[in-house]
Amino acid sequence: MKKLIFSVVAFLLVAANAQAQSLVGTYKLISFTSKFDDGTSYEFLGTQPAGFAVITPKRFTTILTSTDRKPGNNADAKLALFGSMIAYSGPYTVEGSRLIVDVDVSWNQAWNGKKEGRTWSLEDDKLILVSDLAPSVKDPSKMARGHLVWQKIE
């Protein structure tokens, strides 16, 4: 009986590791659409957002920006720059089709120490991530999910 339990646990650990390994790589952002729970959607970072995600065997790191950002050093310009990006990193776990990042550094201090859940799938060389339902950045009175499509480049 102990051998059977050990074998099952070992199999599950190998399977979980294989899932995580299939995600490892560098990805370029193709699209980012936020969908409200009422079915409407918007493109938080515009129609051609820029961004990369780097997934190592132990860490998820990403930066996303709007392509229409304007440089500037005054308070209003800095606020606009902050509002047109997302960046975070942390160790992650894979639980079936769930990717959970334990954020330890981010562009928004409120994310630090939080777990960010995503449903993931692979389609050829594309990684699709769908965020958990959360208050929308655009309208916090509404709930939304981010739908991100990434192209694997490395």
Side-chain angles (χ1 to χ4, degrees):
M1 184 63 151
K2 286 182 183 179
K3 282 185 179 181
L4 176 62
I5 293 171
F6 177 77
S7 295
V8 169
V9 169
F11 173 78
L12 292 174
L13 289 172
V14 169
N17 189 39
Q19 282 185 313
Q21 286 297 329
S22 67
L23 291 172
V24 170
T26 302
Y27 299 84
K28 182 178 181 180
L29 185 64
I30 303 300
S31 67
F32 177 14
T33 304
S34 291
K35 296 183 181 180
F36 290 118
D37 56 355
D38 67 5
T40 61
S41 63
Y42 69 98
E43 293 168 328
F44 172 64
L45 296 175
T47 58
Q48 296 181 330
F52 290 92
V54 178
I55 306 174
T56 72
K58 296 184 179 187
R59 179 166 286 274
F60 180 95
T61 300
T62 190
I63 183 167
L64 313 153
T65 67
S66 171
T67 52
D68 62 356
R69 292 162 48 98
K70 306 284 188 274
N73 288 322
N74 65 39
D76 289 340
K78 288 178 182 179
L79 183 60
L81 289 169
F82 177 79
S84 63
M85 71 171 292
I86 297 172
Y88 64 97
S89 182
Y92 70 94
T93 56
V94 174
E95 299 171 4
S97 63
R98 301 276 301 145
L99 170 81
I100 303 158
V101 180
D102 188 3
V103 178
D104 57 13
V105 64
S106 72
W107 95 117
N108 183 344
Q109 193 67 24
W111 282 32
N112 293 2
K114 302 274 168 81
K115 294 191 184 301
E116 285 295 316
R118 311 281 183 257
T119 301
W120 68 275
S121 61
L122 293 171
E123 294 178 12
D124 298 320
D125 60 350
K126 304 257 187 327
L127 170 63
I128 294 98
L129 294 177
V130 179
S131 70
D132 289 346
L133 195 61
S136 166
V137 174
K138 182 177 182 178
D139 181 353
S141 71
K142 294 183 179 180
M143 300 296 281
R145 292 183 195 277
H147 292 254
L148 298 92
V149 178
W150 304 86
Q151 174 88 44
K152 190 169 190 175
I153 59 173
E154 292 181 356

